[in-house]
Amino acid sequence: MRSFASDNNSGVHPRVMDAIIKANDNHAVGYGDDPWTEAATSKIQEVFGKDASPFFVFNGTGANSVALQAVTRPFNSILCAETAHINVDECGAPARMTGCAIVTIPTTDGKLTPELIRPHLKNFGVCHHSQPKAVYISQVSELGTIYTIEEVKAIADLLHSYDMYLHMDGARLANACAYLNCSMRQVTVDAGVDILSFGGTKNGMMMGEAVVSFRPEITENLRFYRKQSAQLASKLRYLSAQFIPYLENNLWLENAMKANISAAKLADVLRQYPEIHFTQKIESNQLFFTIPAEALRKLQDKYFFYMWNEEINEARLVTSWDTSGEDIAEFEQSLKEIFG
């Protein structure tokens, strides 16, 4: 069933699927000592710089948990937006696996700023309090909004002045770069990000992410955190092989641009109805809007999508790399029928 529920629901890009099939070639040494993992590592270093150290894992929750373990100790605290994925959608895994307190900060658009973070940078050296050590941001945010390069750098500069680390969840990093018209390196390592959860599952890959460290002291123990977190695949080549076509010939950017453009077209369809109001800026492949209750009920009869805030009838639609013109046309026709 095709829908606008999530970019997790989309299929695998044929070039990525072909790479997985090609990796299924005879025997290969397990746990990453294979030519596909070596090639994928080289590709990631071409994109992010030679000092980037990738560690391939199964999924996003695993990537975030491993990354945050690498930059904290159990007496530390991790700061994030109230809507952050690690706070809302990961069943407490990062808190459980790091032992850290998760300090949430209310935001209007899902994005943190130095001004929002600064009041929480206190009690350093006081043994009665968790010690702030890391800030988590999502690029794209959980509300579909995007950090500019300057905004990321401002946060990183603040944290580094306190000897803290910046972790970026890049599950939709490609969509952010497509919007910003920048490289992935420019908005991550060059902007001061210390460690990255680099995902492609929402953008044409089948599964898997890479935890990418940009600092030697973080890299040092990452392989152990990955193993302890049950995130080291024995047949790792099937995860890592996907990153080779994903990063070749800018497939990551091509897919993200398709998704973003589809979201813009879908937004134009929604704008035809004065009863529908957007609640967040449209910067990526996610649309947040309110819709009258009766129209919402009829739309839910035809489509599967997620509610964001049921109290105000706020819904979320997400486009994918494979969203088609027919998908949008059918949705437009449904709205015409609903609104008469």
Side-chain angles (χ1 to χ4, degrees):
M1 174 185 175
R2 297 184 72 86
S3 72
F4 297 107
S6 173
D7 38 13
N8 283 325
N9 295 5
S10 60
V12 179
H13 192 281
R15 290 186 350 226
V16 174
M17 185 67 79
D18 187 53
I20 297 171
I21 294 171
K22 287 181 178 178
N24 193 37
D25 178 30
N26 210 336
H27 286 208
V29 178
Y31 302 104
D33 292 323
D34 61 81
W36 293 273
T37 301
E38 182 181 359
T41 297
S42 295
K43 285 292 179 186
I44 287 176
Q45 289 174 338
E46 287 177 18
V47 171
F48 293 101
K50 62 181 178 60
D51 293 329
S53 299
F55 295 80
F56 301 97
V57 297
F58 287 108
N59 52 40
T61 298
N64 289 336
S65 298
V66 169
L68 289 169
Q69 285 179 83
V71 296
T72 60
R73 296 178 71 178
F75 54 77
N76 290 137
S77 60
I78 300 164
L79 280 58
C80 65
E82 199 170 47
T83 52
H85 206 267
I86 63 167
N87 181 52
V88 177
D89 293 304
E90 296 187 341
C91 197
R96 182 175 187 269
M97 297 176 77
T98 62
C100 293
I102 306 296
V103 178
T104 60
I105 302 173
T107 72
T108 57
D109 58 0
K111 292 165 56 177
L112 294 178
T113 65
E115 291 71 28
L116 290 172
I117 294 169
R118 194 172 281 110
H120 299 275
L121 305 183
K122 58 186 179 182
N123 296 319
F124 291 99
V126 180
C127 69
H128 303 287
H129 301 278
S130 296
Q131 300 293 289
K133 191 61 180 180
V135 166
Y136 164 102
I137 61 174
S138 299
Q139 182 76 306
V140 177
S141 83
E142 295 306 309
L143 298 183
T145 51
I146 290 172
Y147 288 91
T148 65
I149 295 172
E150 293 74 22
E151 288 170 335
V152 175
K153 190 176 188 306
I155 293 173
D157 288 346
L158 172 65
L159 299 185
H160 295 160
S161 72
Y162 283 85
D163 193 28
M164 294 174 63
Y165 292 114
L166 177 59
H167 168 227
M168 177 182 284
D169 181 344
R172 294 188 177 96
L173 177 60
N175 300 91
C177 292
Y179 175 80
L180 296 171
N181 191 29
C182 72
S183 70
M184 289 192 281
R185 175 170 177 165
Q186 285 176 299
V187 77
T188 57
V189 58
D190 287 354
V193 172
D194 300 298
I195 192 165
L196 170 71
S197 297
F198 179 36
T201 305
K202 302 178 188 298
N203 196 39
M205 283 175 41
M206 178 183 286
M207 66 183 75
E209 298 210 3
V211 177
V212 186
S213 167
F214 302 122
R215 298 182 63 162
E217 75 272 19
I218 298 174
T219 304
E220 182 180 4
N221 293 317
L222 259 170
R223 64 189 185 276
F224 303 115
Y225 289 120
R226 176 174 63 173
K227 182 64 176 181
Q228 279 198 331
S229 303
Q231 286 292 318
L232 176 60
S234 55
K235 296 185 178 180
L236 190 62
R237 55 178 158 155
Y238 299 103
L239 297 180
S240 58
Q242 299 172 81
F243 285 88
I244 301 170
Y246 186 67
L247 296 174
E248 280 180 342
N249 301 315
N250 287 333
L251 178 61
W252 64 273
L253 181 58
E254 175 188 327
N255 285 355
M257 289 183 68
K258 287 179 179 177
N260 287 7
I261 290 170
S262 292
K265 291 179 178 178
L266 193 60
D268 288 339
V269 171
L270 294 171
R271 286 193 186 97
Q272 298 176 34
Y273 301 94
E275 302 92 337
I276 294 175
H277 302 280
F278 290 105
T279 57
Q280 295 293 335
K281 293 179 181 178
I282 300 166
E283 297 180 336
S284 62
N285 63 325
Q286 301 177 79
L287 308 178
F288 293 81
F289 60 95
T290 57
I291 182 172
E294 182 62 18
L296 172 63
R297 183 188 63 76
K298 292 178 179 178
L299 194 61
Q300 287 177 317
D301 287 342
K302 294 191 174 189
Y303 285 93
F304 170 60
F305 54 90
Y306 292 105
M307 295 301 297
W308 192 257
N309 185 341
E310 293 188 5
E311 292 183 4
I312 60 172
N313 290 333
E314 183 184 23
R316 184 194 73 165
L317 300 181
V318 186
T319 54
S320 302
W321 70 270
D322 62 351
T323 297
S324 67
E326 290 75 16
D327 293 333
I328 295 172
E330 289 177 10
F331 191 85
E332 182 174 21
Q333 182 59 38
S334 295
L335 285 180
K336 287 180 181 178
E337 294 170 3
I338 290 169
F339 285 100

